[in-house]
Amino acid sequence: MANINMSLQKNPMPTQTPKERASNFEEVALGYSEEVAINEAMRCLNCKNMPCVSSSPVKIHIPEFISKIKEGDFEAAYQIITKSSSLPAVCGRVCPQESQCESKCVRGVKGEPVGIGRLERFVADWHNTFCNEDPKPPKSNQHKVAIVGAGPSGLTCAGDLAKKGYDVTVYEALHTAGGVLVYGIPEFRLPKAIVKKEVETLEKLGVKLETNVVIGKTLTIDELFEMGFEAVFIGSGAGLPNFMGIPGESLKGVYSANEFLTRSNLMKAYVDAPSTPIMKGGNVAVVGGGNVAMDAARTALRLGADNVYIVYRRSMDEIPARKEEVEHAIEEGIDFRILTNPVEIIGYNNPDDKKDSKNGCVTALRCVKMELGEPDARGRRRPIEIPNSEFEIPVDTVIMSIGTSPNPLIKSTTEGLEVNKHGGIIVNEDGLTSRSAVYAGGDAVTGAATVISAMGAGKIAAQAIDEYLKNN
Ligand code: FAD
Ligand code: SF4
């Protein structure tokens, strides 16, 4: 027992203070030091039945890598993690460990679970700082595979295939690789340099990256086969934003969260005199309660909003965003207007409502108060409108963050590719679609989900593509 730290709490993650960070885009969480990482690793009991591993979507050998941290052999810990996860510096930062590996940790029965995610991040950052050895591209097996989309699913599939000697080309619609990791998740949660480094590692393995290519427009899936590719993986995500269908959604000053975050993250709306100014001061309402809503709200705050409201129709108990993100948002001063549902966005181009606005046409969000009724099919209590409860929140910008769907472009240009009623591509357990040699995974299949599930799908498909091409 000498090597066990019986503290009931995780070592806290050092962070910038709420006041400091609310006005900059630098990373909020600063990471463990070597000493703190070893101390946290000492909390692991090295359980024989490893419940944490069974609830890790990519089955990382958790007690093994934590044992290496205890010994101070951080590179060995890194090598253990990368056998199962290709983006550990990313996952250590953004994966919802509280509902995955950490949810089954035995230390969580009485106290807090081991900080598995924080340790994963520490190990990946240590490796990226101290080990600069380039991976060696393996011997080519002469087979060509095309990947559509450079998000976590596509990059994982590409990396796994490249390691097996495949000639892999990734086609990406945007000018840069990373998917949501670069256009959606803000710099203060996931620095772009980390994603860039992961992409560069893949390029060193021999993966070719073709940006500004929209499959379905620039090239079709059928044309990829005509070009000599023997299999295709579609990892095109779920980037099509949903709207509520309420009056006023086409007013100037109304954004989808995806557009708002892309303009900030990729087009640098936060620099002085940006080429794409999205807002300047004023009040901002973000409609929705997921991680994306928290990211949009915290970005608006950093862009100089006077007040930022999260408008959410259920209560704090049902809010779907990660607990840590909600806590950070509250600490930074985001104002949560719960049990509140928008019914109209009001603007000064409404003839009867000529209020002025310094930032555009939106002047207010008309809402109704809600209460919670009986649980719905998913067990969440249903929000019910309270009659005659209408009120207005004066705002200059409204950001809709109520979910996204897969874009129908690839389906509409690929004969025989079947999708479900939500637009998700239908696949079997190996990621194979209804078209021969065409595989798919990640949000393009499941709808908006998580980084780790997208990576898991990329891994499964890479394995299946390897089997298919070896046997054909
Ligand atoms: P994506 O990451 O969406 O990548 C798809 C890529 O395909 C994109 O680069 C896109 O440009 C490209 N593409 C699309 N169509 C085409 C085409 N026709 N031709 C070529 N390229 C195309 N998950 C977490 O686990 N933790 C979090 O904290 C978290 N926060 C999030 C915050 C935000 C703001 C958002 C939007 C999502 C968040 N998620 C989070 C969800 C997570 O990022 C996604 O589930 C994950 O990125 C899905 O990976 P993917 O590879 O399937 O798709
Ligand atoms: Fe360590 Fe927790 Fe996993 Fe047990 S369940 S091996 S204590 S991380």
Side-chain angles (χ1 to χ4, degrees):
M1 293 294 272
N3 277 344
I4 293 181
N5 167 0
M6 288 312 291
S7 166
L8 293 183
Q9 266 87 45
K10 284 181 193 177
N11 278 278
M13 172 60 92
T15 55
Q16 287 191 68
T17 65
K19 194 161 175 260
E20 268 172 347
R21 69 190 193 230
S23 55
N24 70 51
F25 274 85
E26 279 151 39
E27 200 171 7
V28 169
L30 303 172
Y32 280 167
S33 64
E34 291 185 10
E35 198 187 7
V36 175
I38 293 173
N39 188 273
E40 183 62 25
M42 297 291 188
R43 295 186 64 232
C44 173
L45 304 177
N46 206 355
C47 314
K48 279 220 160 50
N49 55 347
M50 303 184 288
C52 49
V53 178
S54 61
S55 48
S56 155
V58 289
K59 304 284 174 269
I60 294 177
H61 295 203
I62 293 166
E64 254 181 76
F65 96 75
I66 294 182
S67 294
K68 291 295 170 193
I69 298 178
K70 288 183 198 170
E71 293 166 19
D73 192 347
F74 307 130
E75 181 56 17
Y78 177 82
Q79 295 304 335
I80 292 166
I81 296 176
T82 48
K83 276 187 203 153
S84 322
S85 165
S86 21
L87 304 169
V90 172
C91 284
R93 285 171 166 79
V94 303
C95 285
Q97 291 95 6
E98 65 277 10
S99 58
Q100 297 171 341
C101 52
E102 291 182 16
S103 71
K104 294 281 161 61
C105 173
V106 295
R107 292 300 307 266
V109 176
K110 211 176 174 191
E112 290 185 335
V114 175
I116 302 170
R118 293 174 184 182
L119 291 175
E120 180 182 13
R121 169 190 165 144
F122 164 78
V123 165
D125 287 356
W126 190 93
H127 170 87
N128 287 341
T129 309
F130 296 108
C131 303
N132 290 316
E133 220 176 286
D134 287 346
K136 290 187 188 58
K139 198 167 166 283
S140 166
N141 67 11
Q142 309 293 323
H143 287 295
K144 282 178 74 179
V145 180
I147 309 280
V148 181
S153 66
L155 293 177
T156 302
C157 189
D160 280 16
L161 287 169
K163 283 179 200 156
K164 292 177 195 286
Y166 286 88
D167 178 348
V168 182
T169 306
V170 179
Y171 292 97
E172 166 56 47
L174 295 174
H175 64 276
T176 189
V180 169
L181 306 181
V182 291
Y183 82 71
I185 303 181
E187 179 80 14
F188 56 83
R189 277 213 297 133
L190 178 62
K192 307 285 158 283
I194 287 169
V195 184
K196 194 163 170 254
K197 178 132 187 145
E198 306 277 12
V199 173
E200 282 168 2
T201 306
L202 291 183
E203 288 182 306
K204 284 174 189 155
L205 268 174
V207 173
K208 292 171 214 144
L209 187 59
E210 298 279 347
T211 52
N212 299 312
V213 180
V214 182
I215 300 299
K217 270 208 163 139
T218 327
L219 289 169
T220 62
I221 298 280
D222 290 311
E223 283 167 339
L224 292 176
F225 283 106
E226 285 163 22
M227 287 161 67
F229 291 104
E230 297 155 87
V232 175
F233 173 79
I234 305 171
S236 49
L240 190 69
N242 300 338
F243 283 87
M244 292 183 76
I246 57 175
E249 280 184 324
S250 54
L251 285 169
K252 186 165 166 260
V254 181
Y255 297 93
S256 69
N258 261 20
E259 179 187 350
F260 185 82
L261 288 167
T262 302
R263 283 176 186 263
S264 171
N265 283 326
L266 278 193
M267 297 159 84
K268 300 198 168 34
Y270 52 85
V271 298
D272 286 338
S275 58
T276 173
I278 38 178
M279 50 161 279
K280 209 164 182 225
N283 294 342
V284 178
V286 179
V287 179
N291 285 321
V292 181
M294 299 306 132
D295 282 344
R298 296 171 72 200
T299 296
L301 189 76
R302 284 159 173 79
L303 287 171
D306 298 325
N307 295 292
V308 183
Y309 309 105
I310 289 278
V311 178
Y312 179 58
R313 63 195 183 135
R314 290 184 162 95
S315 79
M316 288 309 265
D317 289 341
E318 288 82 25
I319 215 155
R322 291 184 70 190
K323 193 166 157 264
E324 185 181 80
E325 302 310 325
V326 175
E327 281 167 6
H328 281 165
I330 293 171
E331 284 169 7
E332 288 167 14
I334 306 292
D335 187 345
F336 282 67
R337 300 293 175 97
I338 51 160
L339 292 168
T340 299
N341 201 30
V343 288
E344 183 180 1
I345 303 168
I346 300 168
Y348 64 75
N349 58 354
N350 281 0
D352 301 333
D353 189 8
K354 280 200 173 298
K355 291 179 200 164
D356 197 12
S357 162
K358 54 185 165 173
N359 294 319
C361 293
V362 171
T363 54
L365 189 63
R366 183 169 291 148
C367 300
V368 287
K369 283 273 169 209
M370 309 293 280
E371 60 187 355
L372 293 180
E374 292 304 309
D376 60 19
R378 290 165 60 198
R380 292 198 308 168
R381 291 181 66 193
R382 208 186 296 272
I384 300 169
E385 186 177 324
I386 301 178
N388 305 318
S389 63
E390 271 197 12
F391 67 103
E392 284 179 18
I393 308 174
V395 292
D396 307 274
T397 305
V398 174
I399 303 170
M400 286 293 175
S401 182
I402 53 164
T404 54
S405 314
N407 191 309
L409 177 65
I410 294 179
K411 143 84 190 147
S412 65
T413 53
T414 313
E415 205 164 315
L417 188 71
E418 283 177 18
V419 298
N420 61 29
K421 63 178 180 186
H422 305 293
I425 300 172
I426 296 174
V427 295
N428 72 6
E429 68 281 4
D430 292 331
L432 180 64
T433 68
S434 49
R435 278 280 307 263
S436 164
V438 178
Y439 295 76
D443 285 5
V445 167
T446 56
T450 60
V451 172
I452 194 88
S453 54
M455 282 173 48
K459 266 194 163 318
I460 289 170
Q463 181 68 34
I465 291 172
D466 181 42
E467 291 294 323
Y468 168 73
L469 292 180
K470 271 195 316 214
N471 297 318
N472 280 281

